[in-house]
Amino acid sequence: MEENMQQEPVAAEESEETKEVKAPRENREGKPAKKNYKKQAFKKFCQFCQDKSVIDFKDVAKLKRFIADGGKILPRRMTGTCAKHQREISTAIKRARVASLIPFKAD
């Protein structure tokens, strides 16, 4: 029985050693666990509010700036437009797609 008791503390010591080994992996050598995203140095502004221009579904060149390569409509946080004009852009893009001026999906 004394032999069994001597073996158990050895197993406990091994687990403590493995805990010490795991600690540097979690810390990642001083680097933070989360990524630090840099804030933009400039504020995005609505192009349509500044220019006081009208959004038209027939103006394909202007609408293509607000469509991603895959054919999706880009969100406000990427384009910098205000909520009012973003709604108008999305309806204009949808109308241009139905009128087959802009493809629904990129080839």
Side-chain angles (χ1 to χ4, degrees):
M1 284 198 207
E2 292 179 12
E3 295 175 4
N4 290 340
M5 290 189 166
Q6 290 177 356
Q7 291 177 356
E8 290 178 14
V10 173
E13 290 174 8
E14 289 177 12
S15 63
E16 290 176 7
E17 290 175 8
T18 55
K19 288 181 184 176
E20 292 175 8
V21 174
K22 289 181 182 178
R25 288 183 187 169
E26 292 175 0
N27 291 339
R28 296 184 187 180
E29 299 172 5
K31 294 180 183 176
K34 293 183 180 180
K35 292 182 180 178
N36 292 332
Y37 292 102
K38 212 177 196 185
K39 288 188 177 181
Q40 285 186 335
F42 60 93
K43 185 177 178 183
K44 292 185 180 180
F45 55 89
C46 182
Q47 297 172 358
F48 300 102
C49 288
Q50 273 194 339
D51 300 338
K52 305 215 185 236
S53 61
V54 180
I55 300 169
D56 189 23
F57 75 96
K58 294 175 259 179
D59 191 4
V60 179
K62 191 181 285 186
L63 294 178
K64 282 192 176 182
R65 291 188 301 187
F66 301 99
I67 299 176
D69 294 332
K72 290 185 177 182
I73 300 171
L74 292 175
R76 281 181 56 200
R77 65 179 179 270
M78 293 181 73
T79 59
T81 56
C82 64
K84 175 186 173 184
H85 288 116
Q86 180 68 26
R87 286 192 296 270
E88 291 180 13
I89 287 169
S90 64
T91 54
I93 289 172
K94 290 172 186 176
R95 286 179 181 170
R97 285 175 177 167
V98 172
S100 69
L101 300 173
I102 300 173
F104 280 93
K105 189 175 179 182
D107 293 330

